[in-house]
Amino acid sequence: MLTAGVDLAAADERTAVASIAWTGGRAVLRDLRLGVSDAEIVDAVLGSDKAGIDCALGWPEPFTRMLAAHREGHATDLPPPGGGAAWRRAMVYRTTDEVVRATFGLIPLSVSADRLAHAAMRCAALLAMLAGAGADVDRAGAGLIVEAYPAASLHRWGLAHRGYKGRHDALVDALRAHEWLDLGGHEPLMRASHDAFDAVIAALTARAAAVGKATRPGPEQLPVARVEGWIAVPTAGLDELR
């Protein structure tokens, strides 16, 4: 199996792609690049069996409905009297964001009210490119891609997950401690760039999803997950991914 991980930013310079080959109970970090173009991302994802993308795959359904209505001049999905905060929260956070918050105590960035939206616009174009190339692009995670959230994956694996960006040397050491995981010659880039590090975590998360050891939406959540996206959080430890 080959899994890919993408740490997606709005600009190529902060975007990283990783590829991990899995065989015989071992995993080898075969490729890790920083500063990648859309074409390079598409090639890496299409060449994988499963890919994790660290970016929201869609927007909250209430938010998109409100924008569509506002465009026509009649925003009918308005806050109830005294309920403005709850209404805004529904516009800002997706169903999967709320599930991650309730389950793991983590608050994903809002795709509709934070800088993450810049990367999400690029992601939407990439998803269209992948679908146009014949890939099964299911935002709920059943197809070629799955939405990754490195902080949640690190949390599930018992590793430091808050404020680690730029201070992640110890996390690289923690990965190295798993002898079945070969970082090869890419370890220096992982240490130098938290974007590259997150791409590796996204590729590991893709493996968890591929072997059925990551969270999936329930039947009642599936329709909205296919529109908004769904964060796959590993349900097993790192050693169980071999």
Side-chain angles (χ1 to χ4, degrees), residues 6 8 41 45 57 85 93 117 128 141 146-148 170 183 200 203 205 221 226 240:
V6 182
L8 190 65
I41 294 170
V45 172
L57 302 184
Y93 293 109
V146 70
E147 183 175 334
L183 302 180
V200 174
T205 302
Q221 298 161 329
R226 285 176 170 157
E240 297 177 66

Side-chain angles (χ1 to χ4, degrees), residues 150 152-159 175 201 204-205 208 234-238 241:
S153 294
L154 293 170
H155 174 64
R156 177 60 186 82
W157 294 328
L159 299 173
L175 293 184
I201 300 301
L204 292 170
T205 302
T235 57
L238 264 175
L241 302 184

Side-chain angles (χ1 to χ4, degrees), residues 27 44 47 74 92 98 101 109 119 121 150 154 185 190 204 206 211 221 237:
H74 303 287
V92 169
E98 296 290 11
R101 181 201 300 259
L109 294 175
M121 293 174 194
L154 293 170
M190 288 181 66
L204 292 170
V211 298
Q221 298 161 329

Side-chain angles (χ1 to χ4, degrees), residues 17-197:
V17 169
S19 295
I20 300 178
W22 304 79
T23 182
R26 290 184 58 80
V28 178
L29 181 56
R30 180 180 292 177
D31 186 34
L32 181 62
R33 285 172 284 158
L34 181 65
V36 292
S37 66
D38 289 353
E40 290 175 291
I41 294 170
V42 169
D43 285 346
V45 172
L46 290 177
S48 71
D49 296 294
K50 192 78 171 183
I53 300 179
D54 178 15
C55 185
L57 302 184
W59 281 263
E61 266 286 79
F63 176 70
T64 57
R65 288 198 306 268
M66 184 272 289
L67 286 184
H70 180 68
R71 181 179 183 276
E72 300 302 319
H74 303 287
T76 56
D77 193 359
L78 300 175
W87 178 81
R88 287 192 300 273
R89 181 167 176 151
M91 299 290 162
V92 169
Y93 293 109
R94 302 171 297 160
T95 298
T96 188
D97 299 328
E98 296 290 11
V99 169
V100 167
R101 181 201 300 259
T103 306
F104 302 100
L106 300 174
I107 305 175
L109 294 175
S110 167
V111 67
S112 54
D114 207 300
R115 292 178 62 186
L116 175 63
H118 292 268
M121 293 174 194
R122 184 182 186 186
C123 188
L126 286 169
L127 298 186
M129 293 169 68
L130 290 166
D136 179 7
V137 179
D138 179 358
R139 297 179 210 170
L144 177 60
I145 64 168
V146 70
E147 183 175 334
Y149 180 23
S153 294
L154 293 170
H155 174 64
R156 177 60 186 82
W157 294 328
L159 299 173
H161 59 282
R162 297 185 188 276
Y164 68 90
K165 296 183 184 294
R167 299 187 297 275
H168 57 280
D169 264 356
L171 290 173
V172 178
D173 291 337
L175 293 184
R176 284 188 61 200
H178 297 268
E179 295 182 356
W180 54 266
L181 177 58
D182 182 359
L183 302 180
H186 305 292
E187 184 180 331
L189 180 56
M190 288 181 66
R191 293 186 184 278
S193 166
H194 64 76
D195 300 309
F197 175 82

